[in-house]
Amino acid sequence: MIPPLPTLAREAAPAPAAARLQLDRCRDTLAYLGARLRRTPPRFVVTCARGSSDHAAVYGKYLIETTLGRAVASLGPSVASVYNTRSLDLRDSLFIAISQSGQSPDLLRMTEAARAGGAVVLGFINDESSPLAALCDVHVPLSAGPEHSVAATKSYLLSGLAFLQLVAYWSDAPELHDAARRLPDALEAASQLDWWPALASLKDASSLYVVGRGSGLGAALEMALKLKETCRLHAEAFSSAEVLHGPLGLVRPGFPVLALGQDDNAAPGTRAVVQRMVELGATVHATLSVPGAKLLPTLPDLPAVLAPLCQVQSFYFAVHQLATARGLNPDAPAHLRKVTETV
């Protein structure tokens, strides 16, 4: 008898349907917001989130900066909740809060401070009845539905889609609208790609790097977090450029690396860094073709903006197998709970 999938994988499976729901439900809200932002563009954009939500914000940061030319900064929620800062000047900015639960006190305090500082507050939130949703000028529901696994899956992917839709409606770029519409089918196809042979090599590992660059950096951060929380594996995420500024010193024969990339301007540099790690003897599994690296399965002819989200979806369907192989329950990560309320 085939054992049932753990909750982590079962909740990743409906991500394509949830993506279709978000596309349908949020069309009017995002069309309004896009027109408003084109008419009165913010001077800059600020994101505020923790954990997987913050990794989605990294993906969004690159979309906004490269498409719209607006600087994006990440604000730590503790600026308001711990340091009691009340004088942040966020006039003429767009503040984006990203959260699954919309309940964490520090995120609520920071959002209140952003409103007081003059920002337009946008929320990407899964719990539509949450106190965070009530604080937002504009609320885009992630539409991921209930999520019980401690390790978030579909809410991360739906946060990425929310950022993609925001940039598509703000820029009114046909290619981004088309990419957003293609994501549900792409996620379905990505869930059929088998990353387990690559992750199986990590059964006895104690440490590894996950590298990415540009819009793929958020995916690297997300995979590293999942490896920590479900597999108790010390995984560190780096920009492929940052690896050269010190972390390369730890690479030695047999050192495991997951190298992510997408077919955009970052690809040549990422390939060069992966090649250097291969030359140093690292065991590299990569989404880009590099001599000496083992190729991870990816979808062909995919828009570069979708590649990081689809790679994460493929990873979600394999990481639970690694946790089980290491004698762990992926649905019961040590010392963690589903809703984390930090101050």
Side-chain angles (χ1 to χ4, degrees), residues 43-309:
R43 289 188 298 128
F44 57 94
V45 178
V46 173
T47 63
C48 193
R50 291 200 186 279
S52 293
S53 296
D54 196 38
H55 303 160
V58 173
Y59 170 76
K61 165 188 170 71
Y62 281 96
L63 291 182
I64 293 169
E65 290 180 339
T66 59
T67 304
L68 296 156
R70 299 288 161 176
V72 181
S74 173
L75 270 181
S78 61
V79 169
S81 64
V82 174
Y83 294 99
N84 297 309
T85 302
R86 291 288 181 270
S87 58
L88 278 175
D89 182 1
L90 296 178
R91 287 172 296 173
D92 302 322
S93 73
L94 176 65
F95 178 93
I96 307 175
I98 311 98
S99 177
Q100 299 166 50
S101 71
Q103 297 179 32
S104 190
D106 54 355
L107 187 54
L108 293 172
R109 290 278 296 277
M110 189 66 248
T111 303
E112 290 170 347
R115 287 179 63 92
V120 172
V121 176
L122 169 62
F124 295 155
I125 309 159
N126 199 39
D127 185 347
E128 299 174 45
S129 64
S130 66
L132 181 59
L135 289 174
C136 296
D137 297 306
V138 180
H139 167 220
V140 173
L142 296 181
S143 307
E147 194 170 53
H148 302 289
S149 173
V150 173
T153 53
K154 58 181 175 176
S155 60
Y156 168 80
L157 297 169
L158 273 289
S159 296
L161 174 58
F163 271 108
L164 177 57
Q165 288 211 82
L166 169 66
V167 177
Y169 279 99
W170 184 353
S171 65
D172 205 21
E175 66 274 15
L176 294 181
H177 283 294
D178 178 66
R181 287 190 294 268
R182 290 179 60 181
L183 181 61
D185 288 346
L187 290 176
E188 283 185 344
S191 68
Q192 302 303 310
L193 300 179
D194 189 6
W195 280 36
W196 169 234
L199 267 61
S201 66
L202 301 174
K203 179 179 179 295
D204 298 314
S206 58
S207 182
L208 79 151
Y209 287 164
V210 188
V211 300
R213 194 170 186 184
S215 63
L217 178 58
L221 291 163
E222 174 65 4
M223 290 185 195
L225 175 63
K226 292 297 184 285
L227 290 166
K228 291 184 182 83
E229 63 184 346
T230 67
C231 302
R232 305 195 82 171
L233 179 53
H234 182 231
E236 289 299 316
F238 291 101
S239 160
S240 56
E242 289 295 336
V243 167
L244 302 177
H245 293 265
L248 196 66
L250 291 180
V251 176
R252 58 192 181 278
F255 187 86
V257 177
L258 290 179
L260 311 178
Q262 57 286 335
D263 188 18
D264 63 11
N265 290 351
T270 298
R271 283 192 172 93
V273 171
V274 171
Q275 185 65 60
R276 178 63 177 139
M277 290 191 288
V278 168
E279 292 167 356
L280 291 172
T283 300
V284 183
H285 290 85
T287 63
L288 297 172
S289 179
V290 177
K294 300 174 183 179
L295 193 62
L296 286 161
T298 57
L299 298 175
D301 303 319
L302 197 66
V305 294
L306 297 188
L309 299 176

